[in-house]
Amino acid sequence: MLLTNKVAVITGAAGPNGLGFATARLMAAHGATVVVLDLAQAEPAAAAARIGAGHLGLVADVTDRASCDAAIEAVLGKLGRVDILVNNAGITQPRKIVDISASDYDAVLDVSLRGTLQMSQAVIPAMQRQRSGSIICISSVSAQRGGGILGGPHYSAAKAGVLGLARAMARELGGDAIRVNCITPGLIATDISKGKLTEERKAEIAETIPLGRLGDAADVAGACLFLASDLSGYCTGITLDVNGGMLIH
């Protein structure tokens, strides 16, 4: 197993069909003790219980620095360390550029970008004391393409910001043996996309992807596992595309 005796914290991980939960299950299968962080209405404790005994589910709002700090303090108090952070929490909105309101902008940027910063800030001191750690940030192919299929331009901007933030953290934290990397998923079949695309539209999109299909949550989970494990021990500041070739097409 690749993550024996590791503690992995994953934000936005309670949704049973989401990237975070798929990642949590896979990391647990590889020996990690997993901490599911999510909003109260997502019931993170129940999600952790579905993964198995010994895992932890905590309520945390990544847009609130005090909430981030409290969650990590609870993790350290119970488990003693944090080895892996997956900054997965994010929201999207289908908006045209002229229709993005100030509240739209704040909502999307706060979760995806501010949330990535604040949860990273919460775990970094513990990782520095350990002199080890892996931080994985979930961006999006829309950050690279200048727009996606479901998210508006402010979503692309937020996810592009995640790429820049992760690289800056990688540069700053390398001396502490903390690795920081990004994953840029393409269109993945999760609850975020459920019901928003017809089967005909999905088929049209799949025809434009070199691998000929939409992604599954397990595809992203596997990439997270790689970046969390020692298999990627000399990788930091990278952007790992998990989009079936959508970016090159």
Side-chain angles (χ1 to χ4, degrees), residues 102-184:
S103 61
D104 290 339
Y105 181 88
D106 289 344
V108 171
L109 270 288
D110 274 357
V111 178
S112 290
L113 188 51
R114 188 191 300 272
T116 294
L117 171 64
Q118 292 186 153
M119 192 55 72
S120 298
Q121 288 174 322
V123 304
I124 285 167
M127 290 182 172
Q128 288 175 320
R129 290 192 296 270
Q130 296 164 193
R131 292 203 50 81
S132 67
S134 174
I135 298 175
I136 302 159
C137 302
I138 305 299
S139 179
S140 170
V141 70
S142 70
Q144 300 158 305
R145 284 164 47 100
I149 294 167
L150 297 175
H154 53 330
Y155 177 77
S156 297
K159 291 301 190 179
V162 169
L163 293 179
L165 175 61
R167 290 171 187 153
M169 289 197 295
R171 189 182 299 277
E172 181 176 333
L173 299 173
D176 295 309
I178 299 169
R179 300 183 296 108
V180 187
N181 295 292
C182 276
I183 294 172
T184 48

Side-chain angles (χ1 to χ4, degrees), residues 30-238:
H30 277 269
T33 299
V34 172
V35 181
V36 174
L37 299 186
D38 216 317
L39 299 175
Q41 59 264 35
E43 300 182 335
R50 287 196 297 273
I51 295 168
H55 304 291
L56 188 62
L58 297 173
V59 172
D61 180 353
V62 298
T63 71
D64 180 343
R65 175 62 192 272
S67 180
C68 295
D69 288 341
I72 297 306
E73 287 173 11
V75 173
L76 293 173
K78 188 172 181 64
L79 301 175
R81 61 187 297 116
V82 176
D83 300 286
I84 300 152
L85 170 64
V86 182
N87 284 307
N88 170 71
I91 61 173
T92 186
Q93 295 170 334
R95 300 283 192 274
K96 298 294 186 183
I97 186 70
V98 297
D99 296 326
I100 299 169
S101 68
S103 61
D104 290 339
Y105 181 88
D106 289 344
V108 171
L109 270 288
D110 274 357
V111 178
S112 290
L113 188 51
R114 188 191 300 272
T116 294
L117 171 64
Q118 292 186 153
M119 192 55 72
S120 298
Q121 288 174 322
V123 304
I124 285 167
M127 290 182 172
Q128 288 175 320
R129 290 192 296 270
Q130 296 164 193
R131 292 203 50 81
S132 67
S134 174
I135 298 175
I136 302 159
C137 302
I138 305 299
S139 179
S140 170
V141 70
S142 70
Q144 300 158 305
R145 284 164 47 100
I149 294 167
L150 297 175
H154 53 330
Y155 177 77
S156 297
K159 291 301 190 179
V162 169
L163 293 179
L165 175 61
R167 290 171 187 153
M169 289 197 295
R171 189 182 299 277
E172 181 176 333
L173 299 173
D176 295 309
I178 299 169
R179 300 183 296 108
V180 187
N181 295 292
C182 276
I183 294 172
T184 48
L187 185 58
I188 309 295
T190 66
D191 286 340
I192 289 179
S193 60
K194 188 176 181 179
K196 294 183 174 66
L197 297 171
T198 65
E199 292 304 313
E200 291 77 12
R201 179 59 179 142
K202 289 178 184 177
E204 290 172 359
I205 295 168
E207 289 179 359
T208 72
I209 298 172
L211 288 185
R213 66 174 177 88
L214 306 189
D216 296 319
D219 295 320
V220 179
C224 287
L225 176 64
F226 167 69
L227 291 177
S229 76
D230 290 341
L231 292 176
S232 60
Y234 201 51
C235 296
T236 197
I238 72 166

